[in-house]
Amino acid sequence: MGTLRAMVAHPVAVLALLCVLCASAAHGASVKEIARLEGQGKSVLRGFGLVIGLPGTGDKADQLVVARPLAKLLENEGNPIGNFTELANARSVALVMVTCEIPATGARVDDEIDVFVSSINNAPSLAGGRLFLAPLRGPLPGQGVFAFAEGPVIIEGANNATGRVRGGAKLVQNINMQTVAPDGTITLVIHSAFAGWSTSQLLASIVNQHRLGLEESGEELARAMSERVIRIRIPEVERPDPANFIADIMGIRFDSSLLDLPARIVVNEREGAIVATGNVEIGPTLITYRDLVINTAPAGGAQAQQLVGPSRWAAVQTTGRPNETARLQDLLAAFRQIDLPVDDQIAILNLLRRSGNLHAEIITD
């Protein structure tokens, strides 16, 4: 990290860095893969609706929360009812929450986007039903109607009380994402997985070197403001039509190995999955867990760890020097030898992390 900062501080070193970036660009990452434009983010439209045509699996219409919207629907269609008791035996309708996720780049009138419906009362199944025309509003009160949703409900998982309507929402208002600030700047927001001062400084230097010689003023365009934020000034000549400039910045490619990222382990207890970067080290420690004893201290030769139990034993082998610190892949390989359940593996990793001997951040997905 210190070497990288020193290079960024000296123009000649930065020019050398740029040569490395250009040479490896074909195999590197792009700015848009690790950062987004501020102002571009996913948003959700929401509303209530009725799923109709259910084969007796809908809500009980003698409940007012269902009877009121159903009676209003019939009244709007020219068939008002005299009393809610007329709906008591209806089981073909379900009251649902309807949501629609707008892409980070926004949406335009007549765009068609998938919507999701979820039963909010006691309907056991939405299978075979159709969402009746439902208005979708912005997430905040008073934002108005942006789309209308309608279409057949498709059940995609084991839960029959939720479903999807493919292309069900049709936009009736544009949803624009404002990315250019009034002062003629754009802001890059680094994705949290890549956040850090070294990353923001690196991206700022890459942008400045990419535009080197193109700016008459000779001033730097990009400046790292925080661990996640980089402010970029759009040149005066390009402000009336900034699309080409923004596309150029977001498309810059560089050697991803220059990113100084911390070691990370991502665990998903629900799916029983563990994903880790290749640089996770385990310091010397001793942990007992059920019928296992885990020793991560270097033991000489190629053996760095041992798992010992009444009927199970596995050596954790390293591939480097005899006294090399064991890495996570060595430990996971030993786990596989003794067929240790994933839940137990995750428990051991958390214990190692709390002891300070697992040199990585654990992220629970």
Side-chain angles (χ1 to χ4, degrees), residues 194-216:
F194 304 100
W197 277 112
S198 58
T199 303
S200 60
Q201 290 176 348
L202 174 64
L203 286 187
S205 296
I206 289 171
V207 170
N208 288 326
Q209 292 305 315
H210 179 74
R211 303 290 297 188
L212 186 66
L214 299 179
E215 312 309 325
E216 295 181 359

Side-chain angles (χ1 to χ4, degrees), residues 4 9 19 22 45 48 56 104 123 144 147 164 184 218 220 229 233 277 288 292 300 307 326 349 356:
L4 177 59
C19 294
C22 294
L45 303 181
F48 289 102
R164 180 198 297 257
E220 292 184 339
V229 174
R233 177 177 55 84
T277 57
T288 61
L292 300 175
L307 300 180
L349 293 179

Side-chain angles (χ1 to χ4, degrees), residues 266-274 342-343 346 363-365:
V266 180
V267 299
N268 187 318
E269 294 175 308
R270 183 180 64 259
E271 301 294 337
I274 301 173
V342 174
D343 289 346
I346 293 174
I363 301 173
T364 302
D365 187 14

Side-chain angles (χ1 to χ4, degrees), residues 70-83 86:
L70 180 55
K72 187 64 175 178
L73 170 62
L74 293 173
E75 180 182 349
N76 291 341
E77 297 302 315
N79 186 26
I81 63 170
N83 192 291
E86 297 180 33

Side-chain angles (χ1 to χ4, degrees), residues 3 15 27 51 63 87 94 115 137 152-153 173 178 181 196 206 242 254 266 287 298 301 347 365:
T3 303
L15 287 175
H27 304 287
V51 171
Q63 299 179 5
L87 305 174
V115 299
R137 297 174 172 82
V153 177
Q173 284 194 58
Q178 186 67 36
I206 289 171
F254 63 96
V266 180
I287 293 180
D365 187 14

